[in-house]
Structure formats: C-alpha cells, structure tokens
Amino acid sequence: MSNVPDAPQQWYSRYSRHFLLENFDETHQQRLQQSHLTVIGMGGLGTTAAQHLAASGAGTLSLVDADTVCISNLPRQLLYSEADIGRPKVFAAREHLQANNPGCIIETHVGQASSCELPGLCGPTDAILDCTDNIQTRLALSRYARSAGLPLFSAAAAGYSAQVIAFNPAPGHCCYGCLYGLNAIAPQHCLSHGVLGPVVASAALFQALQVLYFVTRLAPVSWGSLYRFDARTLQWLNHQLPVNLHCEVCQS
Amino acid sequence: MTMTIYVNQQPLPCPMNTLLADVPALLQLPAQHLAFAVNHTIVHRQQWADFALNHGDQLDAFTLVAGG
Ligand SMILES: [Zn+2]
C-alpha cells in the first residue's frame, strides 16, 4: 500500500478537531505533515506512539524493528491483529497505519538498530523516538542522536512503572547516558517481568504528545525532565535530570 | 538534634547533617538500583556523599525501567 494524500476538503475534515483547539491552526498541522519521525522499536511503546503520530498527521514515519508479531504481543500492541502473527512487525504496522491515514508515508526497516546502521536507519529525520526494550540500543541511540544533533524522545515501561524523558542534543543538556549513569535501572524487562498494556501505552502517549509539541511548536518541550508514572498509585511525578559530569556519552 | 525529611511523601526523622548517602540505610534499602531526587532535581550518585540534606527536604527514591 502506498500513501494517498487527502484532497484539501478531506484534509480539513480529517483534522477538524485539531483546528478547534485553542492555538492550533493550519500552520501547526502543516508542520506535522512536513515532519519525518523515526520510531526505533515497534513493541508496546512504538506501536502506540506511531499510531497516534500517523493518525494525527505526521508526514513520514520510519519504523525500525527486527521482530515478527507473536500472540503474546497482542494484549499491548493493539496495532496488530491475530492475522499478523508471524509477519515482520514493521510491515504489519505500515499496513494498519496507512489504513487509518493513507496520507502518511511509512518507511520500514526490518532489523536491529545497531550503532553502525543508525545513520542509514534514521536518515533525514526531525526526531527519534526511543521505543526499544534494551539498554544497549538506548545508549547507542543517545550517542547517535547527540552526534547527529537530533532530539531523542525516550520512553520505557516495565511492571507497574512507566517513564518518559526528552533529550536535547545541544551541549549542556543531559542525555540517556546521564540517566543510565544513575545506576538505578531495575534489572527487569518485559520478558522476565510482567507489564500491562495501559501502563506501556501511558508512556507512549506521553512520548507521542511531546513529539507532537516539538514538531508543531504548540508547546515547549521540557528537555531533561524525567516523567515517571507509578501505575500502583496512578501518580505522575517529574524530576529534572542534570548533566552527569562523568557521563560516558555526552562528556567524552 | 534531629530534623525531618520527606521520602516519597512520608516523613523520615534523621540526624541533622544527614547526607544523601546515609538515606538508603535509614530506609533500610540497598543503595543498588536506587535513584534520588531532592526537591525535584535528581542527584547523581557520585554526589550523594557530599550532598547535605536540610530540614523539610522532599526526596523521591525510585528505580528506573528500560523495557518496552
Ligand atoms: Zn550524558
């Protein structure tokens, strides 16, 4: 399936609820339409973020994931259906995203986001969404985003916890390496620990909203603010992450 | 002399001049996999030993996740 842009009248109808928002006009929608966003990881985080960004009118999404859809994905990864089991996630995602919004161009890459391939995978993008499930890829993405001058929107979830943080690539801002340097990542991931769909989706929706604000310039992005959601108390908390002067990513 | 700090919104009496590095033991928690924010700013682990707490400080003690 290829992308089919809306005719002007349909474009206004499709995004009419955006135009009814305070401070949101055609310029904001056009900024979104001109944006190219790269989603690394099409699991619970990436599917939810990509669904909202594509449906909201992002111009181009590059999707990167090595996996195929399996049945244990379906409770969290609502973009996929039973009929997709066994298919590469990025192909199934492209089909479903374009079924919702044929105007969105979807580029797909089946593979891991290893550090040597990142320039090719991310290409001419405006922002990277870190929706991965492992620390090594998160660190590689942070290094790449920093060197390429790209903002990085990082989300994570496990157990009853979700977290989101946006990294500005400019010097003087913290990076994922600074967060990693806290040595506070619990030794868990969703293979060994449970996770609930709405908890992962909470992180991804927050992440997508930040990306939407960044692209449209509808609201400022609070770079380096760590937003944490505790699903047991239903509380969001946020803390500022200062630069770690010992960070191996941004201080070397 | 004692003072009160708040950890995850719970009051914690502690000696004056308590350092952030002393807090895990006061909480009877291992320091491993623990992060602290003091008054909404995260304090890097390397600074814990020099970070003097004040009466009324609001601490958040938490762990991070990396799953997706
Ligand atoms: Zn750093």
Side-chain angles (χ1 to χ4, degrees):
Chain A
M1 194 186 289
S2 59
N3 80 297
V4 184
D6 284 325
Q9 178 116 34
Q10 194 174 341
W11 189 82
Y12 278 99
S13 299
R14 183 184 292 271
Y15 303 114
S16 56
R17 296 303 184 276
H18 290 176
F19 301 134
L20 289 170
L21 281 167
E22 206 181 332
N23 300 327
F24 196 112
D25 61 28
E26 289 90 338
T27 313
H28 298 98
Q29 193 62 49
Q30 280 155 2
R31 284 178 186 147
L32 195 50
Q33 192 168 323
Q34 284 154 10
S35 69
H36 185 154
L37 306 166
T38 300
V39 183
I40 310 286
M42 284 298 288
L45 296 167
T47 48
T48 306
Q51 245 174 328
H52 280 271
L53 291 168
S56 298
T60 307
L61 291 185
S62 292
L63 312 178
V64 181
D65 199 297
D67 288 344
T68 52
V69 178
C70 70
I71 194 164
S72 69
N73 299 147
L74 300 183
R76 296 174 308 288
Q77 302 172 25
L78 312 193
L79 187 57
Y80 310 127
S81 63
E82 271 199 14
D84 295 316
I85 291 171
R87 295 178 71 194
K89 284 184 170 180
V90 294
F91 297 158
R94 178 176 56 195
E95 188 180 304
H96 296 304
L97 293 173
Q98 285 192 332
N100 173 280
N101 190 351
C104 186
I105 299 167
I106 311 281
E107 298 179 352
T108 54
H109 304 275
V110 182
Q112 297 281 2
S114 67
S115 48
C116 57
E117 289 171 351
L118 283 173
L121 289 177
C122 297
T125 194
D126 297 308
I128 302 174
L129 283 80
D130 170 5
C131 299
T132 63
D133 60 0
N134 73 87
I135 295 165
Q136 288 319 310
T137 309
R138 291 178 184 279
L139 286 168
L141 279 176
S142 188
R143 266 192 201 91
Y144 173 70
R146 195 94 184 171
S147 68
L150 292 168
L152 176 66
F153 295 85
S154 179
Y160 292 94
S161 299
Q163 71 188 40
V164 185
I165 181 167
F167 297 112
N168 186 316
H173 288 269
C174 63
C175 76
Y176 190 82
C178 297
L179 190 71
Y180 174 73
L182 294 173
N183 281 318
I185 299 176
Q188 59 179 31
H189 50 85
C190 82
L191 286 182
S192 62
H193 281 68
V195 67
L196 280 169
V199 178
V200 189
S202 296
L205 292 172
F206 200 113
Q207 178 190 35
L209 186 60
Q210 281 190 316
V211 172
L212 215 140
Y213 283 169
F214 169 72
V215 169
T216 58
R217 292 177 242 153
L218 197 60
V221 175
S222 48
W223 304 108
S225 269
L226 174 70
Y227 293 88
R228 293 188 306 112
F229 178 60
D230 181 341
R232 276 182 280 224
T233 60
L234 296 172
Q235 271 192 316
W236 279 96
L237 293 174
N238 79 299
H239 317 294
Q240 196 62 31
L241 176 67
V243 171
N244 182 351
L245 299 175
H246 304 273
C247 178
E248 289 176 15
V249 175
C250 68
Q251 299 295 306
S252 58
Chain B
M1 283 287 283
T2 63
M3 62 177 187
T4 303
I5 60 172
Y6 295 84
V7 182
N8 298 343
Q9 296 163 18
Q10 298 299 313
L12 180 70
C14 60
M16 295 292 276
N17 307 317
T18 293
L19 299 169
L20 188 53
D22 302 327
V23 176
L26 290 172
L27 295 171
Q28 297 178 307
L29 281 175
Q32 208 191 5
H33 310 311
L34 203 57
F36 283 113
V38 179
N39 302 326
H40 305 293
T41 299
I42 293 170
V43 181
H44 288 288
R45 197 173 275 268
Q46 295 90 343
Q47 296 160 352
W48 288 7
D50 303 316
F51 198 103
L53 295 168
N54 295 306
H55 179 71
D57 275 348
Q58 305 274 348
L59 278 67
D60 283 291
F62 56 94
T63 56
L64 298 171
V65 292

